[in-house]
Amino acid sequence: MSETTTIRVSRSTHARVSQLASARHETIDETVRAALQALRQDAMARDLSRDLDGDESVWLSADAG
């Protein structure tokens, strides 16, 4: 890590992240980074699974040629 900063979390959250990082044999930074990626992927999956609105359906049905 070339640059760091501090974020405030509760002691219990810090302990949970530390335990998870240890179990995964990685640093807290790597564990938090992986968690953030998983949250982003989860949000994308929710967006992709929702029903299309009318405009989106029309756009996807348009002739590309």
Side-chain angles (χ1 to χ4, degrees):
M1 277 185 295
S2 60
E3 220 177 296
T4 65
T5 190
T6 302
I7 57 172
R8 290 188 175 273
V9 296
S10 67
R11 290 187 189 278
S12 64
T13 296
H14 182 269
R16 291 173 63 196
V17 172
S18 294
Q19 289 170 353
L20 183 57
S22 179
R24 293 170 54 100
H25 305 289
E26 59 191 21
T27 66
I28 289 176
D29 184 66
E30 291 166 332
T31 301
V32 170
R33 189 178 309 126
L36 291 170
Q37 181 177 356
L39 286 169
R40 281 196 326 266
Q41 290 172 339
D42 183 61
M44 284 186 235
R46 279 195 315 272
D47 287 345
L48 290 171
S49 68
R50 71 173 173 74
D51 291 336
L52 298 175
D53 65 27
D55 291 338
E56 292 168 327
S57 294
V58 169
W59 183 82
L60 286 172
S61 299
D63 184 9

Short mmCIF file of all heavy atoms in Angstrom, two decimals:
data_model
loop_
_atom_site.label_atom_id
_atom_site.label_comp_id
_atom_site.label_asym_id
_atom_site.label_seq_id
_atom_site.Cartn_x
_atom_site.Cartn_y
_atom_site.Cartn_z
N MET A 1 0.85 -1.18 0.00
CA MET A 1 0.00 0.00 0.00
C MET A 1 0.89 1.24 0.00
O MET A 1 1.70 1.41 0.89
CB MET A 1 -0.88 0.03 1.24
CG MET A 1 -2.11 -0.78 1.14
SD MET A 1 -3.18 -0.60 2.59
CE MET A 1 -2.17 -1.33 3.86
N SER A 2 0.69 2.06 -0.98
CA SER A 2 1.50 3.27 -1.03
C SER A 2 0.89 4.41 -0.24
O SER A 2 1.60 5.23 0.32
CB SER A 2 1.69 3.70 -2.49
OG SER A 2 0.43 3.96 -3.07
N GLU A 3 -0.41 4.45 -0.17
CA GLU A 3 -1.09 5.53 0.53
C GLU A 3 -2.20 4.94 1.38
O GLU A 3 -2.90 4.05 0.95
CB GLU A 3 -1.70 6.48 -0.51
CG GLU A 3 -1.57 7.93 -0.15
CD GLU A 3 -2.13 8.80 -1.25
OE1 GLU A 3 -1.57 8.78 -2.36
OE2 GLU A 3 -3.12 9.48 -0.98
N THR A 4 -2.35 5.45 2.58
CA THR A 4 -3.40 4.94 3.47
C THR A 4 -4.17 6.09 4.09
O THR A 4 -3.74 7.24 4.07
CB THR A 4 -2.82 4.07 4.60
OG1 THR A 4 -2.01 4.89 5.44
CG2 THR A 4 -2.03 2.90 4.07
N THR A 5 -5.32 5.73 4.65
CA THR A 5 -6.13 6.67 5.41
C THR A 5 -6.83 5.89 6.50
O THR A 5 -6.72 4.66 6.56
CB THR A 5 -7.13 7.42 4.51
OG1 THR A 5 -7.73 8.47 5.25
CG2 THR A 5 -8.20 6.49 3.97
N THR A 6 -7.53 6.56 7.34
CA THR A 6 -8.23 5.91 8.44
C THR A 6 -9.73 6.04 8.24
O THR A 6 -10.22 7.11 7.86
CB THR A 6 -7.84 6.59 9.78
OG1 THR A 6 -6.43 6.49 9.94
CG2 THR A 6 -8.54 5.94 10.95
N ILE A 7 -10.43 4.96 8.47
CA ILE A 7 -11.89 5.02 8.50
C ILE A 7 -12.33 4.52 9.87
O ILE A 7 -11.72 3.61 10.44
CB ILE A 7 -12.56 4.20 7.37
CG1 ILE A 7 -12.13 2.74 7.42
CG2 ILE A 7 -12.26 4.80 6.02
CD1 ILE A 7 -12.88 1.85 6.46
N ARG A 8 -13.35 5.14 10.41
CA ARG A 8 -13.82 4.76 11.74
C ARG A 8 -14.89 3.67 11.62
O ARG A 8 -15.85 3.82 10.88
CB ARG A 8 -14.41 5.97 12.47
CG ARG A 8 -13.37 6.97 12.87
CD ARG A 8 -14.01 8.04 13.77
NE ARG A 8 -13.01 8.94 14.25
CZ ARG A 8 -12.28 8.76 15.35
NH1 ARG A 8 -12.48 7.69 16.08
NH2 ARG A 8 -11.38 9.63 15.72
N VAL A 9 -14.65 2.60 12.33
CA VAL A 9 -15.63 1.52 12.45
C VAL A 9 -15.69 1.14 13.91
O VAL A 9 -14.76 1.40 14.68
CB VAL A 9 -15.26 0.29 11.58
CG1 VAL A 9 -15.28 0.63 10.09
CG2 VAL A 9 -13.93 -0.29 11.97
N SER A 10 -16.77 0.49 14.28
CA SER A 10 -16.88 0.05 15.67
C SER A 10 -15.83 -1.02 15.95
O SER A 10 -15.31 -1.67 15.03
CB SER A 10 -18.28 -0.52 15.93
OG SER A 10 -18.45 -1.72 15.20
N ARG A 11 -15.54 -1.19 17.22
CA ARG A 11 -14.55 -2.22 17.60
C ARG A 11 -15.02 -3.60 17.16
O ARG A 11 -14.22 -4.44 16.74
CB ARG A 11 -14.30 -2.18 19.10
CG ARG A 11 -13.54 -0.95 19.53
CD ARG A 11 -13.15 -1.04 21.01
NE ARG A 11 -12.60 0.22 21.49
CZ ARG A 11 -11.35 0.60 21.33
NH1 ARG A 11 -10.52 -0.15 20.67
NH2 ARG A 11 -10.94 1.75 21.83
N SER A 12 -16.32 -3.85 17.26
CA SER A 12 -16.83 -5.17 16.86
C SER A 12 -16.68 -5.39 15.36
O SER A 12 -16.34 -6.49 14.92
CB SER A 12 -18.28 -5.35 17.31
OG SER A 12 -19.14 -4.42 16.66
N THR A 13 -16.92 -4.34 14.56
CA THR A 13 -16.73 -4.47 13.11
C THR A 13 -15.26 -4.70 12.79
O THR A 13 -14.92 -5.56 11.96
CB THR A 13 -17.26 -3.21 12.39
OG1 THR A 13 -18.67 -3.12 12.61
CG2 THR A 13 -16.97 -3.26 10.90
N HIS A 14 -14.39 -3.96 13.45
CA HIS A 14 -12.95 -4.15 13.23
C HIS A 14 -12.54 -5.58 13.57
O HIS A 14 -11.79 -6.22 12.82
CB HIS A 14 -12.15 -3.15 14.06
CG HIS A 14 -10.68 -3.25 13.83
ND1 HIS A 14 -9.87 -4.07 14.58
CD2 HIS A 14 -9.88 -2.67 12.91
CE1 HIS A 14 -8.63 -3.98 14.15
NE2 HIS A 14 -8.61 -3.13 13.12
N ALA A 15 -13.05 -6.10 14.67
CA ALA A 15 -12.72 -7.47 15.07
C ALA A 15 -13.22 -8.47 14.03
O ALA A 15 -12.50 -9.42 13.69
CB ALA A 15 -13.32 -7.77 16.44
N ARG A 16 -14.42 -8.26 13.52
CA ARG A 16 -14.98 -9.18 12.51
C ARG A 16 -14.17 -9.14 11.23
O ARG A 16 -13.88 -10.18 10.63
CB ARG A 16 -16.44 -8.84 12.25
CG ARG A 16 -17.34 -9.17 13.44
CD ARG A 16 -18.75 -8.68 13.24
NE ARG A 16 -19.37 -9.36 12.10
CZ ARG A 16 -20.49 -8.92 11.51
NH1 ARG A 16 -21.08 -7.83 11.96
NH2 ARG A 16 -20.98 -9.57 10.49
N VAL A 17 -13.79 -7.93 10.79
CA VAL A 17 -12.99 -7.82 9.57
C VAL A 17 -11.61 -8.44 9.79
O VAL A 17 -11.10 -9.15 8.91
CB VAL A 17 -12.86 -6.34 9.12
CG1 VAL A 17 -11.88 -6.20 7.98
CG2 VAL A 17 -14.22 -5.80 8.71
N SER A 18 -11.02 -8.22 10.94
CA SER A 18 -9.71 -8.79 11.25
C SER A 18 -9.77 -10.32 11.25
O SER A 18 -8.88 -10.98 10.71
CB SER A 18 -9.22 -8.31 12.61
OG SER A 18 -8.97 -6.94 12.58
N GLN A 19 -10.81 -10.88 11.86
CA GLN A 19 -10.96 -12.34 11.89
C GLN A 19 -11.15 -12.89 10.49
O GLN A 19 -10.57 -13.92 10.13
CB GLN A 19 -12.14 -12.73 12.77
CG GLN A 19 -11.89 -12.51 14.24
CD GLN A 19 -13.16 -12.67 15.09
OE1 GLN A 19 -14.26 -12.82 14.57
NE2 GLN A 19 -12.99 -12.62 16.40
N LEU A 20 -11.96 -12.22 9.68
CA LEU A 20 -12.19 -12.68 8.31
C LEU A 20 -10.91 -12.60 7.49
O LEU A 20 -10.58 -13.54 6.76
CB LEU A 20 -13.30 -11.84 7.66
CG LEU A 20 -13.72 -12.23 6.25
CD1 LEU A 20 -14.19 -13.68 6.19
CD2 LEU A 20 -14.81 -11.29 5.76
N ALA A 21 -10.18 -11.51 7.63
CA ALA A 21 -8.91 -11.37 6.90
C ALA A 21 -7.94 -12.47 7.31
O ALA A 21 -7.28 -13.07 6.46
CB ALA A 21 -8.31 -9.99 7.16
N SER A 22 -7.87 -12.74 8.57
CA SER A 22 -6.97 -13.78 9.06
C SER A 22 -7.37 -15.15 8.50
O SER A 22 -6.52 -15.92 8.05
CB SER A 22 -6.99 -13.81 10.58
OG SER A 22 -6.15 -14.82 11.08
N ALA A 23 -8.65 -15.44 8.51
CA ALA A 23 -9.14 -16.72 7.99
C ALA A 23 -8.88 -16.85 6.50
O ALA A 23 -8.67 -17.96 5.99
CB ALA A 23 -10.63 -16.87 8.28
N ARG A 24 -8.87 -15.73 5.79
CA ARG A 24 -8.63 -15.73 4.34
C ARG A 24 -7.15 -15.59 4.01
O ARG A 24 -6.78 -15.58 2.85
CB ARG A 24 -9.43 -14.60 3.69
CG ARG A 24 -10.95 -14.81 3.77
CD ARG A 24 -11.70 -13.56 3.33
NE ARG A 24 -11.33 -13.08 2.02
CZ ARG A 24 -12.02 -13.30 0.89
NH1 ARG A 24 -13.12 -14.01 0.94
NH2 ARG A 24 -11.61 -12.79 -0.26
N HIS A 25 -6.32 -15.46 5.02
CA HIS A 25 -4.87 -15.28 4.85
C HIS A 25 -4.56 -14.07 3.98
O HIS A 25 -3.78 -14.14 3.02
CB HIS A 25 -4.22 -16.55 4.26
CG HIS A 25 -4.51 -17.77 5.05
ND1 HIS A 25 -3.95 -18.00 6.28
CD2 HIS A 25 -5.34 -18.82 4.81
CE1 HIS A 25 -4.40 -19.15 6.76
NE2 HIS A 25 -5.25 -19.67 5.89
N GLU A 26 -5.19 -12.96 4.32
CA GLU A 26 -4.97 -11.72 3.58
C GLU A 26 -5.01 -10.54 4.53
O GLU A 26 -5.37 -10.69 5.70
CB GLU A 26 -5.98 -11.56 2.44
CG GLU A 26 -7.42 -11.53 2.87
CD GLU A 26 -8.40 -11.63 1.71
OE1 GLU A 26 -8.03 -12.09 0.62
OE2 GLU A 26 -9.56 -11.23 1.91
N THR A 27 -4.64 -9.38 4.04
CA THR A 27 -4.66 -8.18 4.86
C THR A 27 -6.09 -7.67 5.00
O THR A 27 -6.98 -8.05 4.22
CB THR A 27 -3.79 -7.07 4.25
OG1 THR A 27 -4.40 -6.66 3.01
CG2 THR A 27 -2.36 -7.52 4.02
N ILE A 28 -6.29 -6.80 5.98
CA ILE A 28 -7.60 -6.16 6.13
C ILE A 28 -7.94 -5.39 4.85
O ILE A 28 -9.08 -5.43 4.37
CB ILE A 28 -7.63 -5.25 7.37
CG1 ILE A 28 -7.62 -6.10 8.64
CG2 ILE A 28 -8.85 -4.33 7.36
CD1 ILE A 28 -7.55 -5.31 9.93
N ASP A 29 -6.96 -4.71 4.27
CA ASP A 29 -7.18 -3.96 3.04
C ASP A 29 -7.68 -4.88 1.92
O ASP A 29 -8.64 -4.54 1.22
CB ASP A 29 -5.90 -3.24 2.61
CG ASP A 29 -6.11 -2.37 1.39
OD1 ASP A 29 -6.87 -1.38 1.49
OD2 ASP A 29 -5.53 -2.68 0.34
N GLU A 30 -7.07 -6.03 1.76
CA GLU A 30 -7.50 -6.98 0.72
C GLU A 30 -8.91 -7.49 0.99
O GLU A 30 -9.72 -7.62 0.06
CB GLU A 30 -6.51 -8.14 0.64
CG GLU A 30 -5.16 -7.75 0.11
CD GLU A 30 -4.09 -8.81 0.34
OE1 GLU A 30 -4.19 -9.58 1.32
OE2 GLU A 30 -3.15 -8.86 -0.47
N THR A 31 -9.21 -7.75 2.25
CA THR A 31 -10.54 -8.23 2.61
C THR A 31 -11.60 -7.17 2.36
O THR A 31 -12.66 -7.46 1.79
CB THR A 31 -10.57 -8.67 4.09
OG1 THR A 31 -9.60 -9.69 4.27
CG2 THR A 31 -11.94 -9.19 4.49
N VAL A 32 -11.33 -5.93 2.74
CA VAL A 32 -12.29 -4.85 2.50
C VAL A 32 -12.46 -4.62 1.00
O VAL A 32 -13.58 -4.43 0.52
CB VAL A 32 -11.85 -3.55 3.23
CG1 VAL A 32 -12.69 -2.36 2.81
CG2 VAL A 32 -11.93 -3.76 4.74
N ARG A 33 -11.37 -4.66 0.26
CA ARG A 33 -11.45 -4.50 -1.20
C ARG A 33 -12.33 -5.59 -1.81
O ARG A 33 -13.18 -5.31 -2.66
CB ARG A 33 -10.05 -4.53 -1.81
CG ARG A 33 -10.04 -4.15 -3.28
CD ARG A 33 -8.64 -4.13 -3.89
NE ARG A 33 -7.70 -3.35 -3.09
CZ ARG A 33 -6.54 -3.84 -2.65
NH1 ARG A 33 -6.17 -5.07 -2.91
NH2 ARG A 33 -5.74 -3.06 -1.94
N ALA A 34 -12.16 -6.84 -1.37
CA ALA A 34 -12.97 -7.95 -1.88
C ALA A 34 -14.44 -7.76 -1.50
O ALA A 34 -15.34 -8.04 -2.31
CB ALA A 34 -12.45 -9.28 -1.35
N ALA A 35 -14.69 -7.28 -0.29
CA ALA A 35 -16.07 -7.05 0.14
C ALA A 35 -16.73 -5.96 -0.69
O ALA A 35 -17.89 -6.07 -1.08
CB ALA A 35 -16.10 -6.67 1.62
N LEU A 36 -15.98 -4.90 -0.99
CA LEU A 36 -16.53 -3.82 -1.81
C LEU A 36 -16.84 -4.32 -3.22
O LEU A 36 -17.88 -3.99 -3.80
CB LEU A 36 -15.55 -2.65 -1.88
CG LEU A 36 -15.39 -1.88 -0.57
CD1 LEU A 36 -14.23 -0.90 -0.69
CD2 LEU A 36 -16.67 -1.18 -0.19
N GLN A 37 -15.96 -5.14 -3.77
CA GLN A 37 -16.21 -5.71 -5.10
C GLN A 37 -17.46 -6.58 -5.09
O GLN A 37 -18.28 -6.51 -5.99
CB GLN A 37 -15.01 -6.52 -5.58
CG GLN A 37 -15.21 -7.12 -6.96
CD GLN A 37 -13.99 -7.87 -7.45
OE1 GLN A 37 -12.95 -7.89 -6.81
NE2 GLN A 37 -14.11 -8.48 -8.60
N ALA A 38 -17.61 -7.39 -4.04
CA ALA A 38 -18.79 -8.25 -3.93
C ALA A 38 -20.07 -7.42 -3.83
O ALA A 38 -21.09 -7.76 -4.43
CB ALA A 38 -18.65 -9.18 -2.72
N LEU A 39 -20.02 -6.32 -3.09
CA LEU A 39 -21.19 -5.44 -2.98
C LEU A 39 -21.53 -4.81 -4.32
O LEU A 39 -22.71 -4.70 -4.69
CB LEU A 39 -20.94 -4.35 -1.93
CG LEU A 39 -20.99 -4.82 -0.48
CD1 LEU A 39 -20.46 -3.72 0.44
CD2 LEU A 39 -22.39 -5.22 -0.09
N ARG A 40 -20.52 -4.38 -5.07
CA ARG A 40 -20.76 -3.80 -6.41
C ARG A 40 -21.37 -4.84 -7.33
O ARG A 40 -22.31 -4.57 -8.08
CB ARG A 40 -19.46 -3.28 -7.01
CG ARG A 40 -19.02 -1.93 -6.49
CD ARG A 40 -17.96 -1.24 -7.36
NE ARG A 40 -17.02 -2.14 -8.01
CZ ARG A 40 -15.82 -2.48 -7.51
NH1 ARG A 40 -15.42 -2.00 -6.37
NH2 ARG A 40 -15.02 -3.30 -8.17
N GLN A 41 -20.83 -6.07 -7.30
CA GLN A 41 -21.36 -7.13 -8.14
C GLN A 41 -22.80 -7.47 -7.76
O GLN A 41 -23.63 -7.71 -8.64
CB GLN A 41 -20.47 -8.37 -8.05
CG GLN A 41 -19.13 -8.18 -8.72
CD GLN A 41 -18.17 -9.32 -8.46
OE1 GLN A 41 -18.31 -10.08 -7.50
NE2 GLN A 41 -17.17 -9.43 -9.31
N ASP A 42 -23.09 -7.48 -6.48
CA ASP A 42 -24.45 -7.74 -6.02
C ASP A 42 -25.41 -6.67 -6.52
O ASP A 42 -26.52 -6.97 -6.98
CB ASP A 42 -24.48 -7.82 -4.49
CG ASP A 42 -25.84 -8.16 -3.95
OD1 ASP A 42 -26.35 -9.25 -4.28
OD2 ASP A 42 -26.40 -7.33 -3.20
N ALA A 43 -24.99 -5.41 -6.47
CA ALA A 43 -25.83 -4.31 -6.95
C ALA A 43 -26.07 -4.45 -8.46
O ALA A 43 -27.19 -4.24 -8.94
CB ALA A 43 -25.18 -2.97 -6.63
N MET A 44 -25.02 -4.82 -9.20
CA MET A 44 -25.18 -5.02 -10.65
C MET A 44 -26.16 -6.16 -10.93
O MET A 44 -27.01 -6.06 -11.83
CB MET A 44 -23.84 -5.33 -11.30
CG MET A 44 -22.94 -4.14 -11.46
SD MET A 44 -21.49 -4.65 -12.41
CE MET A 44 -20.21 -4.15 -11.29
N ALA A 45 -26.04 -7.25 -10.18
CA ALA A 45 -26.94 -8.39 -10.38
C ALA A 45 -28.38 -8.01 -10.11
O ALA A 45 -29.29 -8.41 -10.85
CB ALA A 45 -26.51 -9.55 -9.49
N ARG A 46 -28.61 -7.22 -9.05
CA ARG A 46 -29.98 -6.76 -8.76
C ARG A 46 -30.50 -5.90 -9.90
O ARG A 46 -31.66 -6.03 -10.31
CB ARG A 46 -30.02 -6.00 -7.45
CG ARG A 46 -30.06 -6.89 -6.22
CD ARG A 46 -30.46 -6.12 -4.96
NE ARG A 46 -29.78 -4.85 -4.82
CZ ARG A 46 -28.60 -4.67 -4.23
NH1 ARG A 46 -27.96 -5.70 -3.75
NH2 ARG A 46 -28.05 -3.48 -4.13
N ASP A 47 -29.66 -4.99 -10.42
CA ASP A 47 -30.07 -4.14 -11.53
C ASP A 47 -30.40 -4.96 -12.77
O ASP A 47 -31.38 -4.69 -13.47
CB ASP A 47 -28.98 -3.12 -11.89
CG ASP A 47 -28.85 -2.01 -10.86
OD1 ASP A 47 -29.77 -1.84 -10.03
OD2 ASP A 47 -27.82 -1.31 -10.89
N LEU A 48 -29.60 -5.97 -13.05
CA LEU A 48 -29.83 -6.80 -14.24
C LEU A 48 -31.05 -7.70 -14.11
O LEU A 48 -31.64 -8.08 -15.11
CB LEU A 48 -28.59 -7.65 -14.53
CG LEU A 48 -27.37 -6.88 -15.03
CD1 LEU A 48 -26.17 -7.80 -15.07
CD2 LEU A 48 -27.64 -6.27 -16.39
N SER A 49 -31.43 -8.03 -12.87
CA SER A 49 -32.54 -8.95 -12.68
C SER A 49 -33.90 -8.24 -12.62
O SER A 49 -34.94 -8.89 -12.68
CB SER A 49 -32.35 -9.78 -11.41
OG SER A 49 -32.43 -8.97 -10.26
N ARG A 50 -33.90 -6.92 -12.54
CA ARG A 50 -35.18 -6.22 -12.45
C ARG A 50 -35.86 -6.19 -13.82
O ARG A 50 -35.22 -6.33 -14.86
CB ARG A 50 -34.99 -4.80 -11.91
CG ARG A 50 -34.31 -3.85 -12.86
CD ARG A 50 -34.31 -2.41 -12.32
NE ARG A 50 -33.52 -1.54 -13.14
CZ ARG A 50 -33.88 -1.08 -14.34
NH1 ARG A 50 -35.04 -1.40 -14.85
NH2 ARG A 50 -33.08 -0.28 -15.02
N ASP A 51 -37.16 -6.03 -13.80
CA ASP A 51 -37.92 -5.95 -15.04
C ASP A 51 -37.56 -4.67 -15.79
O ASP A 51 -37.28 -3.63 -15.19
CB ASP A 51 -39.43 -5.94 -14.75
CG ASP A 51 -39.92 -7.27 -14.22
OD1 ASP A 51 -39.26 -8.30 -14.50
OD2 ASP A 51 -40.95 -7.28 -13.53
N LEU A 52 -37.55 -4.78 -17.11
CA LEU A 52 -37.28 -3.61 -17.94
C LEU A 52 -38.48 -2.68 -17.94
O LEU A 52 -39.63 -3.12 -17.88
CB LEU A 52 -36.99 -4.04 -19.38
CG LEU A 52 -35.78 -4.95 -19.59
CD1 LEU A 52 -35.71 -5.38 -21.06
CD2 LEU A 52 -34.51 -4.27 -19.17
N ASP A 53 -38.22 -1.37 -18.01
CA ASP A 53 -39.34 -0.45 -18.16
C ASP A 53 -39.68 -0.35 -19.65
O ASP A 53 -39.02 -0.94 -20.50
CB ASP A 53 -39.03 0.93 -17.54
CG ASP A 53 -37.91 1.68 -18.23
OD1 ASP A 53 -37.67 1.48 -19.43
OD2 ASP A 53 -37.27 2.51 -17.54
N GLY A 54 -40.73 0.37 -19.99
CA GLY A 54 -41.20 0.45 -21.37
C GLY A 54 -40.16 0.95 -22.34
O GLY A 54 -39.97 0.37 -23.42
N ASP A 55 -39.46 2.02 -22.00
CA ASP A 55 -38.43 2.57 -22.89
C ASP A 55 -37.30 1.59 -23.13
O ASP A 55 -36.79 1.47 -24.24
CB ASP A 55 -37.84 3.87 -22.32
CG ASP A 55 -38.83 5.02 -22.34
OD1 ASP A 55 -39.80 4.96 -23.15
OD2 ASP A 55 -38.64 5.97 -21.56
N GLU A 56 -36.89 0.87 -22.09
CA GLU A 56 -35.82 -0.12 -22.25
C GLU A 56 -36.25 -1.26 -23.16
O GLU A 56 -35.48 -1.72 -24.00
CB GLU A 56 -35.39 -0.65 -20.88
CG GLU A 56 -34.69 0.38 -20.01
CD GLU A 56 -34.54 -0.05 -18.58
OE1 GLU A 56 -35.41 -0.78 -18.05
OE2 GLU A 56 -33.54 0.36 -17.97
N SER A 57 -37.50 -1.70 -23.01
CA SER A 57 -38.01 -2.78 -23.85
C SER A 57 -38.04 -2.35 -25.31
O SER A 57 -37.67 -3.11 -26.21
CB SER A 57 -39.41 -3.20 -23.41
OG SER A 57 -39.35 -3.79 -22.14
N VAL A 58 -38.49 -1.13 -25.57
CA VAL A 58 -38.54 -0.61 -26.95
C VAL A 58 -37.13 -0.53 -27.51
O VAL A 58 -36.88 -0.96 -28.65
CB VAL A 58 -39.22 0.78 -26.99
CG1 VAL A 58 -39.05 1.45 -28.34
CG2 VAL A 58 -40.70 0.64 -26.64
N TRP A 59 -36.19 -0.01 -26.74
CA TRP A 59 -34.81 0.13 -27.20
C TRP A 59 -34.21 -1.22 -27.55
O TRP A 59 -33.56 -1.39 -28.57
CB TRP A 59 -33.99 0.84 -26.14
CG TRP A 59 -32.57 1.09 -26.55
CD1 TRP A 59 -32.12 2.10 -27.32
CD2 TRP A 59 -31.43 0.31 -26.21
NE1 TRP A 59 -30.76 2.00 -27.48
CE2 TRP A 59 -30.30 0.90 -26.81
CE3 TRP A 59 -31.24 -0.84 -25.45
CZ2 TRP A 59 -29.02 0.39 -26.68
CZ3 TRP A 59 -29.97 -1.35 -25.31
CH2 TRP A 59 -28.88 -0.74 -25.93
N LEU A 60 -34.44 -2.23 -26.70
CA LEU A 60 -33.88 -3.55 -26.94
C LEU A 60 -34.55 -4.27 -28.10
O LEU A 60 -33.95 -5.13 -28.72
CB LEU A 60 -33.97 -4.41 -25.67
CG LEU A 60 -32.99 -4.04 -24.57
CD1 LEU A 60 -33.29 -4.81 -23.29
CD2 LEU A 60 -31.55 -4.28 -25.01
N SER A 61 -35.78 -3.89 -28.41
CA SER A 61 -36.50 -4.51 -29.51
C SER A 61 -36.25 -3.82 -30.85
O SER A 61 -36.67 -4.31 -31.90
CB SER A 61 -37.99 -4.48 -29.23
OG SER A 61 -38.28 -5.20 -28.05
N ALA A 62 -35.56 -2.69 -30.84
CA ALA A 62 -35.33 -1.92 -32.06
C ALA A 62 -34.45 -2.70 -33.04
O ALA A 62 -33.59 -3.49 -32.65
CB ALA A 62 -34.66 -0.59 -31.72
N ASP A 63 -34.69 -2.45 -34.30
CA ASP A 63 -33.91 -3.07 -35.38
C ASP A 63 -32.55 -2.38 -35.44
O ASP A 63 -32.46 -1.18 -35.61
CB ASP A 63 -34.65 -2.92 -36.70
CG ASP A 63 -33.95 -3.61 -37.85
OD1 ASP A 63 -32.98 -4.36 -37.60
OD2 ASP A 63 -34.37 -3.40 -39.00
N ALA A 64 -31.49 -3.15 -35.33
CA ALA A 64 -30.13 -2.59 -35.33
C ALA A 64 -29.61 -2.37 -36.74
O ALA A 64 -28.55 -1.79 -36.92
CB ALA A 64 -29.17 -3.51 -34.57
N GLY A 65 -30.33 -2.82 -37.72
CA GLY A 65 -29.82 -2.74 -39.09
C GLY A 65 -30.39 -1.59 -39.79
O GLY A 65 -29.99 -0.83 -40.53
#
